[in-house]
Amino acid sequence: MPITFVDSLANISQRDWQALNCSNSPFLSYDFFHALEESQLATAEQGWQPHHMVVSQRAESLKHASSSISPATNVDDNSDAKANVTAILPLYLKSHSWGEYVFDWSWAQAYDDHNIPYYPKLVGTIPFTPVTSPKLLGDLTLHDTFSLLSEHCQQHNIHSWHLLFCQQNQVTQSDANTAEALPDDVYLRHTVQFNWFNRDYTSFDDFLSRFNARKRKNTRKERASITQQNITIKRVNGADITAQQLEFFYLSYQLTYLKKGHQPHLSLAFFQQVLSSLADNILLVIASRDQVANENNKNNVEVENIACALFFFDDTHLYGRYWGCTEPIKNLHFELCYYQGIEFCIEHKLQCFNPGTQGEHKIQRGFEPVLTHSYHWVKNPSFQPSIKDFCQREREHMQVYLQQCQQALPFSQVASR
């Protein structure tokens, strides 16, 4: 199986990528990955060195992988490899664990305590985007890929590989849903996210009709409080988003991160580029409030934007990704990030709404817990038993946590999925 690893998306043609990409998700599009690299977010300097795996039919058309990890091997533009690409796995050599959302900081600390390097590691994910999706584009299953990645790491100075937020049906050709179906040295990790599912609702009130009386009253009260605070909400489709609106969004997005004490992962240049290439998949929700500009002129009213939430969507899913506000407003986060998204899904008959990772407060607003699946391998045999045990205990904990979250849902009678 001829394989090479490339250090730039420029070494993979958009035609080949899209021919192998069977997903409608905007995050799997060539344009999304290209925007990350072009805006200098997914680069070696940022700790995200592209190291994409390319599988081709013809051995004579490929160069062998470099013996060093940086730079990675490039595909020769004059070879036949580009015309015969059969699979692509987006990968990154990481020198840290930021922007992944399947946390392994404790693993890195354990390595450091024993004076053993944990980085670089090889990570298969959509950078800064904890969304379940196909990881491998093409005919191979991820199970077929496990040994290829392990061999590549063994031959190079790479200490582990991690495939994050995978679809279960990409593990093997059969229905393998348990850790027992994995190779002994590959470990499954679960996290819990909260998704909203469309049960053929005709309106937001139809959705609320499934809530118990107390939770239904609370949700209506939260929504009513926005109007009572003289706040107006509007949705803007990607093609209609102005430069001024995008700049305000980025300001509010930055403030969210700065309040937590660090810089945001993504840049304005990234959002400008992705808006240009994926406008049909972007929704911006803006909250504003009327203000009297001059106390002596009560008729002179200006609109002040106070918060934004940016979403991506495709034919079946809505993804809530980024939010920010210029001042704290009670219940505004719930309205912009959750209730507006639910209404959008109902109106456009979308099946699922992923509002982002973590957040138990989503449960009482009708977001149901779901397990995510990530796969991990470490080179150092001394750490394999302890990491395997950690993953097993974590999976057991996540199963219990999942059940606890299901019991806390607001529905008077939970429908089966």
Side-chain angles (χ1 to χ4, degrees), residues 57-71:
Q57 287 180 331
R58 298 183 182 179
E60 65 270 21
S61 299
L62 294 170
K63 293 182 178 181
H64 293 291
S66 171
S67 58
S68 62
I69 65 169
S70 181

Side-chain angles (χ1 to χ4, degrees), residues 198 200-204 206-207 346:
N198 193 343
D200 297 323
Y201 300 119
T202 58
S203 66
F204 193 88
D206 184 26
F207 162 59
I346 294 172

